[in-house]
Amino acid sequence: MSKITIGKKDVAWAYIGSFFKVAANIILLPVVLKLLSDDELGIWYVFGSISQIVVLLDFGFASTVARNISYAWCGVDSLKKDSLAEMPSNRETNFEYFKIVLQTCKVIYTAIAVIALVFLLTAGLFYINSLASSNVLAWVLYSVGVALNMRYCYYTSFLFGVGAVAENNKAAIITKLVQIIASIILLYAGYGILGVSIAYLLSGITLRLSSKLYFDNYENIKTHLKQVTSKSSWTEVKKTFKIIWHNASKDGLVTLSNYLNTQANTLICSSVLGLATTGSYGLSVQLSSIAATIAGIPFSSVLPMLQEKAVKRDNEGGQNLFSGAMVLFMLSFVILTGVVIFLLPVIKWLKPTLIIEVPMLLAVFFLSLVNQIYHYFASLISTFNILPYTRSFIVSSVIAVVLSYFLTRFTNLGIWALVISPLIVAFSYNLWKWPLYVLKLYNVSLYTFIKNGLSFSLNILNDIFNRIKGR
């Protein structure tokens, strides 16, 4: 069996990749603010807002594709809609079937990219032309860049699916570096918004080249695929697509519910509480999201291994790995929360007019922690190729949004309503339902789960300490 192994190098690159994505925005933002006119800056943000709409066309395929790539990489001969296929313990990757899955995913993302490009060059182009006709060329180039990024982002799922976490992050860093360097050069050369659009287009090309190079060379995948002489038939691709779509549609609904939850609260805040309050709330949410992303690196890094454990029916190994990742996540999140509170005076110095109260900031961070906890348990459940949580996530997001609106509109809670409402809904069902589901799935008690997680985490921390001490 082709084995998925996530080592310290992979986790280190995951941290570097996440840090670089955050730092990249910090590096580019001052240059953009300085060299784009007010009108160009406004149009650039419009570019980003419209492109976010078409990103939703992914509709859950990214996570589903990565999950099914992992199954095929681990040696299954077929995919199933709501369960895991049986296979011998010594099975190697069936590259003939692996190639069919890859081809199916390429067809899916080609269709998504074409639909996105048509939307951007019709409705999007019409809207941009109505705002500023002088930026039509920049929009066309930017649209092609968006389409390329969507077309070739399947390589991200491919790399993640086979456990190439380090390679995936290296490709992402290279892509971001090209965009940053090209943007700065072209902005200083006086190309304005056309320059940053060209840079984004170059990032799409770079993503394709770097990701493909890393994927082809990982475990000699390119050589193995070349040895498969038979071509994937349209019938096989169509059959595989139907299986992938079954759970991708559910993942997509969960993605949409999360998107609705976040965006709806921001809209409620701006319409009821005003733009100044929205700025404070938005920054608090952004900071908590960054903390959650960084703290969640241990989980996201070992997810391919958890998928392999599920395929091999290694529940003990999966439980130890998952419990450790969860403990590391919560410890890291608490530490990062403290760091943000410590740096709050710096944020207030940079933006004196922005009012951020520590109790509210802590409440937003606590909400983010709660949301991530039950989402990670749900993600663990999905490694078994079952998604029983879809309906509850959708219903919960709708109830939370409605409750947020009524509490902000008809009570004196103000911004607190945007935190209290989702917390009430989360504690009512999702926060206890899916952790209990996982404990039952692994047949362990909460005490054992926490004990194993602490033991796993302490071993990792001791190993890090010993390495540092050894130096």
Side-chain angles (χ1 to χ4, degrees), residues 438-453:
V438 170
L439 293 178
K440 184 177 180 181
L441 195 67
Y442 281 144
N443 193 28
V444 294
S445 65
L446 179 61
Y447 171 77
T448 302
F449 183 85
I450 295 174
K451 185 183 72 173
N452 291 343

Side-chain angles (χ1 to χ4, degrees), residues 155-200:
Y155 276 115
T156 299
S157 296
F158 288 0
L159 287 167
F160 192 76
V162 299
V165 175
E167 289 76 6
N168 187 26
N169 280 281
K170 288 176 184 178
I173 291 172
I174 293 171
T175 300
K176 204 69 177 178
L177 268 175
V178 169
Q179 183 183 358
I180 292 171
I181 294 171
S183 294
I184 292 174
I185 292 174
L186 292 171
L187 280 170
Y188 274 104
Y191 285 93
I193 196 170
L194 179 62
V196 286
S197 296
I198 293 172
Y200 191 78

Side-chain angles (χ1 to χ4, degrees), residues 42-75:
I43 288 294
W44 180 244
Y45 283 130
V46 171
F47 278 22
S49 297
I50 297 175
S51 68
Q52 284 302 307
I53 297 174
V54 300
V55 169
L56 291 175
L57 287 171
D58 177 87
F59 206 72
F61 277 112
S63 56
T64 308
V65 164
R67 192 161 59 244
N68 284 284
I69 289 293
S70 291
Y71 298 152
W73 180 249
C74 289

Side-chain angles (χ1 to χ4, degrees), residues 181-455:
I181 294 171
S183 294
I184 292 174
I185 292 174
L186 292 171
L187 280 170
Y188 274 104
Y191 285 93
I193 196 170
L194 179 62
V196 286
S197 296
I198 293 172
Y200 191 78
L201 173 60
L202 290 175
S203 75
I205 297 171
T206 306
L207 176 66
R208 194 270 181 189
L209 295 175
S210 59
S211 298
K212 186 179 188 304
L213 179 65
Y214 280 122
F215 182 72
D216 286 344
N217 291 326
Y218 186 77
E219 300 289 340
N220 295 316
I221 287 179
K222 184 177 182 180
T223 302
H224 288 297
L225 291 176
K226 277 187 175 181
Q227 293 173 353
V228 179
T229 55
S230 59
K231 292 185 177 181
S232 304
S233 68
W234 177 246
T235 302
E236 292 171 321
V237 171
K238 188 177 179 181
K239 179 183 176 182
T240 307
F241 168 77
K242 288 181 178 179
I243 296 172
I244 293 176
W245 170 250
H246 177 75
N247 277 336
S249 60
K250 296 179 182 179
D251 273 332
L253 290 173
V254 172
T255 302
L256 285 175
S257 71
N258 294 338
Y259 180 84
L260 170 66
N261 220 351
T262 306
Q263 298 302 317
N265 269 357
T266 303
L267 292 174
I268 291 170
C269 188
S270 61
S271 63
V272 180
L273 303 175
L275 292 177
T277 304
T278 302
S280 300
Y281 172 75
L283 180 59
S284 299
V285 171
Q286 184 179 17
L287 291 172
S288 68
S289 297
I290 292 172
T293 300
I294 296 174
I297 289 173
F299 174 79
S300 59
S301 298
V302 301
L303 187 55
M305 285 183 68
L306 289 170
Q307 288 166 171
E308 182 193 36
K309 300 291 185 186
V311 172
K312 295 169 64 176
R313 275 71 173 177
D314 182 8
N315 284 354
E316 182 180 354
Q319 184 266 134
N320 288 332
L321 194 61
F322 177 61
S323 61
M326 287 303 298
V327 169
L328 285 174
F329 160 71
M330 287 185 276
L331 288 174
S332 301
F333 190 89
V334 170
I335 293 171
L336 289 168
T337 301
V339 171
V340 172
I341 297 299
F342 178 76
L343 294 175
L344 195 56
V346 178
I347 297 173
K348 291 182 177 180
W349 176 72
L350 290 171
K351 196 73 173 177
T353 57
L354 202 63
I355 300 173
I356 300 180
E357 298 177 352
V358 173
M360 171 51 60
L361 185 64
L362 288 174
V364 171
F365 268 70
F366 180 66
L367 173 61
S368 180
L369 176 65
V370 167
N371 286 336
Q372 288 301 116
I373 287 173
Y374 72 76
H375 272 91
Y376 283 150
F377 275 93
S379 295
L380 185 279
I381 295 169
S382 72
T383 63
F384 290 85
N385 206 32
I386 50 176
L387 285 78
Y389 49 83
T390 304
R391 183 177 299 177
S392 72
F393 275 26
I394 296 170
V395 173
S396 296
S397 65
V398 173
I399 293 174
V401 168
V402 172
L403 188 58
S404 292
Y405 176 79
F406 276 97
L407 289 181
T408 51
R409 175 68 71 178
F410 301 110
T411 71
N412 295 322
L413 287 171
I415 195 172
W416 282 94
L418 303 177
V419 179
I420 293 173
S421 299
L423 279 176
I424 290 174
V425 176
F427 274 92
S428 298
Y429 191 78
N430 288 321
L431 186 59
W432 60 265
K433 171 64 178 180
W434 306 118
L436 286 179
Y437 191 102
V438 170
L439 293 178
K440 184 177 180 181
L441 195 67
Y442 281 144
N443 193 28
V444 294
S445 65
L446 179 61
Y447 171 77
T448 302
F449 183 85
I450 295 174
K451 185 183 72 173
N452 291 343
L454 287 171
S455 176

